[in-house]
Amino acid sequence: MTRRTLFGNLARGLGGLALGSLLPSSLLRGNGDAGLGRLPHFAPKAKRIIYLFQSGGPSHIDLFDFKPEMRALHGVELPDSVRGGQRVTGMTARQDSYPFVAPFWEFKRCGQQGTWISDLLPYTQKVADEITILRGMNTEAINHDPAVTYINTGSQQMGHASLGSWLSYGLGSANQDLPAYMVLLSQGSGKNPGQPLFSRLWGNGYLPSNYQGVKLGSGADPVYFLQNPPGLDRAQRRQALDRLEALNRVHADEVGDPEIHARIDAYEMAYRMQTSVPELMDLKDEPASTFELYGEESRRPGSFAANCLLARRMAEKGVRFVQLFHRGWDQHKKLSAQLPKQCKDIDQASAALVMDLKRRGLLDETLVIWGGEFGRTAYSQGKLGDPVAGRDHHGRCFSIWMAGGGIKRGFDWGRTDEWGYNILEGGVHIRDLNATLLHCMGIDHERFTFKFRGLNQRLTGVEEARVVKEILA
């Protein structure tokens, strides 16, 4: 043994001992499916979350935040007192005029609450008594990538763990044959292509890598490199994994790196997924009535409707967090032509998911969220009345809806001004939203931390965040 080898091995041994004294024992054992053991902090209202993320920024003005007086304001210049020197994007910063644009479509009062919902969403109108609409959502971010990163990870900066990864880390999986966090992507009929989505949005950040989301594709092989290569059968794969695990555990004992255990967990999960994923993706056992409920598009792999149906199947199998990213909501131009198409993509399937979960007895324990990273401006981007005009990004207020596990039914929260531009009451920052989601899963966001770079990292960050108790059942 050379002197360099001696000191190298000695350093790794001491480093492993030091690391072992700092890390939770569950990480060193590679027990990735069990969660932290000490969670939840209190009895949860929901066992799982299905997040229908609408990437691009749906127009709250045209979908959920209607007031009859808006019709009389159409074409009126938005007062400086309303804009309040707001920072806007470079796409409208140089406009000479900011005329208010009333909603393009009619609205109806729906459900016992009489909540306003656009006629672009006729199926959502029918489930008004099952959902809570939050009209006071807000964020500081005004561009897509930082805004999507912010609402999904709690920070506008890259490198932080996503909501699904946090839940996977804290609560583990309820199904040993499927990941705790699964992701599905779809492209809408509005703006095509939509804004790009990066894997860090469902990434683990500083958490161990076995807590990252697993993205499923819509092709014959929904998980890349999952199947055995030609000439290798399942028994041979099992033998190879056993030998590889033995080598990895020897290496882990030497260096004490928890990522080695994460790699072992990943290999084992991939092996189990070779049978569980094909079964999950095979819709042949679904009756015709299911496809009628979700719409004909649910028969097309990769569509939003098909992904909603898969999300229900994942909920049945105990997947902790399912996230659907649907692109195409970025209507800077041609809003009058694009928005109806985009709404048609999602309306029937979103409502069907809520109804399907309810009729199967799963809605009370499944929290469903529908919403994007911000809203759209009340003023026109482009010349008023021009068919190519649209709406710019707007983070001061926007709307989302929630249903199921722990959330009130048929309820509205938050109110904006007559312009749909500023919040008057019931403001909910995206940090508050994430704190509320964790609360519904039985987790106190202030006590749910991970030590990284000398800080106790939290999904809700270091700034103030509160649980929105007003919307809780």
Side-chain angles (χ1 to χ4, degrees):
M1 180 183 293
T2 65
R3 185 174 66 171
R4 175 170 297 183
T5 302
L6 172 64
F7 284 126
N9 287 341
L10 187 61
R12 284 197 296 270
L14 292 174
L17 289 172
L19 185 62
S21 69
L22 296 174
L23 290 170
S25 59
S26 60
L27 294 185
L28 293 175
R29 291 194 306 270
N31 188 12
D33 292 328
L36 292 181
R38 60 181 182 272
L39 294 179
H41 293 126
F42 44 82
K45 294 287 188 177
K47 293 181 179 179
R48 67 193 69 87
I49 292 177
I50 299 176
Y51 201 145
L52 310 178
F53 191 83
Q54 311 302 313
S55 176
S59 173
H60 61 291
I61 296 288
D62 296 292
L63 300 181
F64 296 109
D65 199 2
F66 177 73
K67 305 168 188 67
E69 55 266 31
M70 285 179 166
R71 298 296 182 198
L73 295 173
H74 184 73
V76 176
E77 186 72 11
L78 194 70
D80 291 340
S81 59
V82 173
R83 286 184 57 208
Q86 178 198 13
R87 175 182 171 229
V88 297
T89 74
M91 290 168 281
T92 55
R94 294 180 176 84
Q95 284 190 184
D96 296 328
S97 178
Y98 296 90
F100 178 80
V101 182
F104 280 76
W105 296 271
E106 295 301 319
F107 279 66
K108 285 188 177 67
R109 283 193 175 276
C110 306
Q112 296 181 3
Q113 176 77 6
T115 190
W116 291 107
I117 300 177
S118 170
D119 284 349
L120 287 179
L121 302 171
Y123 289 92
T124 305
Q125 289 178 341
K126 295 176 183 178
V127 296
D129 283 334
E130 299 296 335
I131 66 177
T132 279
I133 298 178
L134 283 72
R135 295 193 175 91
M137 292 298 304
N138 61 94
T139 178
E140 297 90 343
I142 64 168
N143 289 310
H144 293 289
D145 189 60
V148 177
T149 303
Y150 197 7
I151 197 169
N152 278 282
T153 71
S155 174
Q156 296 187 51
Q157 298 177 336
M158 296 179 288
H160 290 261
S162 60
L163 169 61
S165 292
W166 275 108
L167 288 172
S168 177
Y169 164 67
L171 299 174
S173 176
N175 185 332
Q176 300 298 308
D177 295 329
L178 289 170
Y181 180 17
M182 302 188 77
V183 177
L184 297 158
L185 274 62
S186 55
Q187 170 60 54
S189 305
K191 182 180 180 181
N192 192 351
Q195 292 294 325
L197 297 171
F198 303 100
S199 59
R200 55 181 163 78
L201 297 174
W202 50 90
N204 57 292
Y206 33 71
L207 298 177
S209 57
N210 51 325
Y211 299 115
Q212 64 185 310
V214 173
K215 182 175 76 70
L216 296 183
S218 58
D221 294 318
V223 181
Y224 296 136
F225 313 116
L226 185 64
Q227 301 305 317
N228 294 326
L232 184 69
D233 61 29
R234 189 163 175 81
Q236 291 171 314
R237 170 66 79 183
R238 180 69 269 169
Q239 186 179 43
L241 287 177
D242 289 342
R243 291 176 177 177
L244 183 59
E245 179 180 351
L247 292 172
N248 278 328
R249 290 199 180 279
V250 170
H251 189 204
D253 290 341
E254 289 181 351
V255 301
D257 183 357
E259 279 298 305
I260 299 174
H261 291 289
R263 189 181 306 134
I264 293 172
D265 289 342
Y267 289 153
E268 290 300 318
M269 176 59 74
Y271 181 77
R272 298 194 296 270
M273 287 170 64
Q274 285 183 328
T275 55
S276 63
V277 168
E279 178 188 351
L280 172 70
M281 303 293 286
D282 187 356
L283 304 181
K284 293 178 182 177
D285 60 342
E286 293 289 347
S289 59
T290 297
F291 295 105
E292 291 173 4
L293 178 65
Y294 284 85
E296 191 60 30
E297 274 289 283
S298 62
R299 297 182 183 273
R300 181 172 66 85
S303 67
F304 179 81
N307 289 348
C308 282
L309 176 52
L310 286 173
R312 187 268 289 164
R313 291 170 66 89
M314 291 179 192
E316 287 182 306
K317 293 182 179 296
V319 176
R320 184 77 64 187
F321 189 86
V322 183
Q323 192 160 24
L324 277 58
F325 287 89
H326 187 64
R327 302 190 301 164
W329 291 96
D330 194 23
Q331 272 73 57
H332 290 281
K333 298 179 179 180
K334 301 181 180 179
L335 182 142
S336 59
Q338 288 186 5
L339 193 59
K341 297 177 183 178
Q342 188 74 9
C343 289
K344 188 175 181 180
D345 290 338
I346 61 88
D347 179 41
Q348 182 174 356
S350 299
L353 177 61
V354 173
M355 292 187 288
D356 202 6
L357 290 170
K358 183 177 181 180
R359 72 181 184 181
R360 293 170 185 270
L362 292 170
L363 185 58
D364 286 343
E365 59 185 35
T366 305
L367 178 55
V368 182
I369 310 117
W370 187 102
E373 68 268 35
F374 44 50
R376 313 302 298 191
T377 53
Y379 60 78
S380 177
Q381 178 176 343
K383 186 177 179 181
L384 182 68
D386 192 325
V388 301
R391 299 186 190 271
D392 200 2
H393 308 164
H394 189 67
R396 278 194 179 185
C397 63
F398 61 102
S399 301
I400 70 168
W401 61 256
M402 304 170 69
I407 300 299
K408 289 180 178 178
R409 299 171 62 248
F411 187 68
D412 295 344
W413 180 250
R415 185 168 66 91
T416 62
D417 59 20
E418 60 184 337
W419 309 87
Y421 200 88
N422 295 298
I423 297 170
L424 296 182
E425 59 184 36
V428 177
H429 192 273
I430 58 173
R431 290 189 299 272
D432 304 330
L433 173 65
N434 285 334
T436 306
L437 299 183
L438 291 178
H439 178 86
C440 289
M441 297 293 284
I443 297 175
D444 181 345
H445 73 99
E446 293 184 340
R447 297 161 55 195
F448 189 31
T449 64
F450 186 87
K451 194 81 169 182
F452 179 69
R453 292 181 178 174
L455 297 175
N456 288 323
Q457 303 287 346
R458 298 190 322 201
L459 173 64
T460 50
V462 297
E463 298 183 63
E464 183 179 355
R466 77 178 188 95
V467 174
V468 189
K469 295 182 178 179
E470 294 85 353
I471 69 170
L472 300 180

